[in-house]
Amino acid sequence: MIVDQARYRDGVRLPCEDISTEIARLRAEAPGRPEGSADFVWIGLKDPSPQTFQRVVGDELELHHLAIEDAVAGDQRAKVERYGDTWFAVLKPLRYLDETSDVETGELMVFVGPDFVLTVRRGEASPLADLRHRLEEDPAPLRHGPWGVFHAVLDTVVDEYLAIEDELQVDLEGIETAVFEPSSGLTSEEIYTLKREVLEFKRAALPLARPMGFLTSPSSPVAHGELRLLFRDVSDHLTQALESLESMDRLLSDVLSAHLAQVGVEQNRVSMKQNEDMRRISAWVAIAALPTMIAGVYGMNFERMPELTASVRVSGHEVYYGYYVVLAVMVTACLVLYRLFKRSGWL
C-alpha cells in the first residue's frame, strides 16, 4: 500500500496526485531547471504485494527487474547497489522491546533516482513513521534532493542503532554484576539470549559498513561536498556502534564462560558433598551390619550351639560365657571398624 506520496521543490511539499504525471512533468522540466535546484517525488510504500509494486511504481520509475525482485521478496542483506541512474539500498532498522529486552529487525528498501525517492518498508521496526513530517518542518535535507532524503533515512536508522546499543549495554552491565552474585539466580539462558540479540544487531549493522565507506569515498555518487560530510558523520556513528557491539560480544563470551565455570565448580562441590555423605552412610551401615550379622546367627533357633551351653565354674557356680563373648566381639569389631573409617576420612 502507498503510505504517502508528494513532490518536493526546494524543500517545499507540493501535491502529487498521479505518480506517472508528476514523473513525466519533472523530466520535461529538467532541462530548464536551475542548477542545484532540488525537485523530486518521494513515494512511500509499506509491505507492497508484487502486483501492487509493479503496477504502481515499477513501470513508472523504470526500475531494474533485479532491484524490483529484491524489494518484493524482502529478507535481503544490508547493501547499496547501482542500476543505471538509480541506486538501490537495503537497510535493517532495529527496534528495542522494553517488555522482553529483545531486538526486533525490520527491513527498509530505498530507491534513489535523479528525480525520485522510493522507500519500501517491511515490518514494524521502521524509522519512517515521523521522518517525513520532521523533514517537512525542517526542510534543509530536502533541499539536497533525493540523496538528502536518503541521508536522513540512513541517519535515523544509525541513530536508532546507537540508542539500542545503550539499552543492550545496560542489560550487559546487569548480567555482568549478577554473574558473580550466587543469590542472583542468573541462568546461562539469559546470557545466551542477550548474546543472540547482540548477534542479531551485528547481522543488521555490520554489512552496512562497506557501503558507508563507499558513499564517503571520492567515487561516491553523492556529489555535494557538504552532504558527503554528513554521510561521513553517519559512517562515524555506525563505526562507533559496531566497535561497541564487538566489545559486548567478546565480554558476553567471557561472562558466559565465567558463569559456566561457576556452575561447574558448584556442581563439583555438590557432588563432593554427596560423595562425602555417601561415605559416611556407607561407613555406618558397615559398622551396623557386622553386629547384625553376628546377632543373626543366634536368631536361627538351633538347639545345639556350643556357645549357648558352654560354661565355667566361678566360686562354685556355673557361669555361661557365650553371651558375653559374643557381645564383646560385636563391640570390639564395631570399634575397630570405626577407627579404620575414621582414619581413612570416611567419618
Side-chain angles (χ1 to χ4, degrees), residues 140-173:
L142 295 173
R143 296 192 183 100
H144 289 297
W147 284 106
V149 174
F150 180 61
H151 165 265
V153 172
L154 192 58
D155 186 49
T156 303
V157 171
V158 174
D159 283 348
E160 189 64 22
Y161 285 173
L162 293 176
I164 294 175
E165 183 265 328
D166 290 339
E167 297 286 354
L168 292 179
Q169 190 68 45
V170 172
D171 294 341
L172 175 57
E173 290 173 359

Side-chain angles (χ1 to χ4, degrees), residues 98-110:
D98 294 319
E99 300 81 6
T100 59
S101 298
D102 291 338
V103 176
E104 183 180 281
T105 305
E107 194 168 31
L108 176 62
M109 275 79 71
V110 184

Side-chain angles (χ1 to χ4, degrees), residues 6-26:
R7 178 175 175 176
Y8 294 91
R9 179 178 296 165
D10 295 328
V12 179
R13 178 178 178 127
L14 302 175
C16 176
E17 299 297 334
D18 183 71
I19 296 175
S20 59
T21 302
E22 291 297 335
I23 292 295
R25 187 179 300 166
L26 279 171

Side-chain angles (χ1 to χ4, degrees), residues 266-343:
E266 182 64 21
Q267 289 178 342
N268 288 337
R269 189 187 67 79
V270 172
S271 178
M272 290 176 63
K273 183 67 170 58
Q274 291 175 342
N275 290 338
E276 185 179 348
D277 293 342
M278 287 301 298
R279 285 198 298 268
R280 286 196 178 96
I281 294 172
S282 300
W284 285 115
V285 168
I287 293 173
L290 183 59
T292 301
M293 179 187 68
I294 296 174
V297 173
Y298 293 93
M300 292 188 292
N301 296 323
F302 291 124
E303 292 183 359
R304 296 183 179 181
M305 297 183 70
E307 302 93 284
L308 298 179
T309 57
S311 64
V312 295
R313 185 172 294 275
V314 179
S315 300
H317 300 281
E318 288 186 347
V319 178
Y320 294 91
Y321 60 84
Y323 174 74
Y324 303 102
V325 170
V326 170
L327 287 181
V329 170
M330 289 182 181
V331 172
T332 302
C334 289
L335 289 175
V336 171
L337 287 176
Y338 179 83
R339 290 295 301 274
L340 291 174
F341 285 129
K342 192 72 173 177
R343 185 178 299 175

Side-chain angles (χ1 to χ4, degrees), residues 40-46 48 53 57 61 63-64 66-68 70-72 74 76-83 85-93 106-122 125-128 131-132 135 142 145-158 161 208 211-212 215 221-222 231:
F40 64 96
V41 172
W42 183 359
I43 308 158
L45 302 178
K46 186 176 187 303
F53 190 93
V57 295
L61 301 181
L63 302 178
H64 196 277
L66 292 178
I68 293 176
D70 288 347
V72 170
Q76 302 295 311
R77 198 167 182 263
K79 60 183 178 179
V80 175
E81 296 178 335
R82 180 178 181 179
Y83 294 95
D85 293 336
T86 301
W87 290 83
F88 174 59
V90 178
L91 307 177
K92 293 289 188 178
E107 194 168 31
L108 176 62
M109 275 79 71
V110 184
F111 292 84
V112 181
D115 44 23
F116 69 88
V117 175
L118 170 64
T119 55
V120 183
R121 297 159 48 190
R122 292 193 175 277
S126 173
L128 300 186
L131 178 61
R132 188 188 290 257
L135 292 180
L142 295 173
W147 284 106
V149 174
F150 180 61
H151 165 265
V153 172
L154 192 58
D155 186 49
T156 303
V157 171
V158 174
Y161 285 173
L208 196 57
M212 287 304 306
L215 291 174
V222 183
F231 274 100

Side-chain angles (χ1 to χ4, degrees), residues 7 23-35 37 39 114-115:
R7 178 175 175 176
I23 292 295
R25 187 179 300 166
L26 279 171
R27 292 173 179 173
E29 296 172 355
R33 191 178 305 149
E35 185 176 355
S37 175
D39 199 350
D115 44 23

